[in-house]
Amino acid sequence: GVSVPNDNDVAIVVDRVARQHLGLDEARAELRDALKIVDAFAQRDPIECAHGHVRAIAEEAYFYAGLAFGVTLTSIGSNRDA
């Protein structure tokens, strides 16, 4: 996944996959809702939880994109040797 964040076209696709298959839009909405109640310190835990959820989904999407890239690259390399 090292090259994924550095390529805007790939990042757009990864974001789309995260929204469609991993619930990123819902996680972002959860974060926005939690941010609306920031007044008291005791209410900040839902914000941290929602933010962690958004980050986990985004990181999972980038992980799978990197894994797919590695598998594809390996497949291309092994086909050359054949």
Side-chain angles (χ1 to χ4, degrees):
V2 175
S3 67
V4 172
N6 297 325
D7 187 324
N8 192 48
D9 293 334
V10 174
I12 289 169
V13 172
V14 169
D15 188 65
R16 185 180 312 134
V17 169
R19 287 189 330 257
Q20 291 176 352
H21 300 286
L22 300 174
L24 184 58
D25 286 337
E26 292 84 1
R28 286 180 174 159
E30 181 183 348
L31 177 59
R32 281 191 303 274
D33 290 345
L35 287 172
K36 292 176 186 175
I37 59 168
V38 157
D39 295 340
F41 181 80
Q43 296 173 326
R44 294 184 185 164
D45 185 54
I47 295 169
E48 290 185 37
C49 291
H51 182 255
H53 189 203
V54 170
R55 294 289 312 244
I57 289 171
E59 290 173 12
E60 183 178 2
Y62 278 97
F63 169 79
Y64 283 119
L67 181 63
F69 176 78
V71 168
T72 301
L73 188 61
T74 301
S75 175
I76 291 170
S78 66
N79 288 337
R80 279 190 187 175
D81 296 335

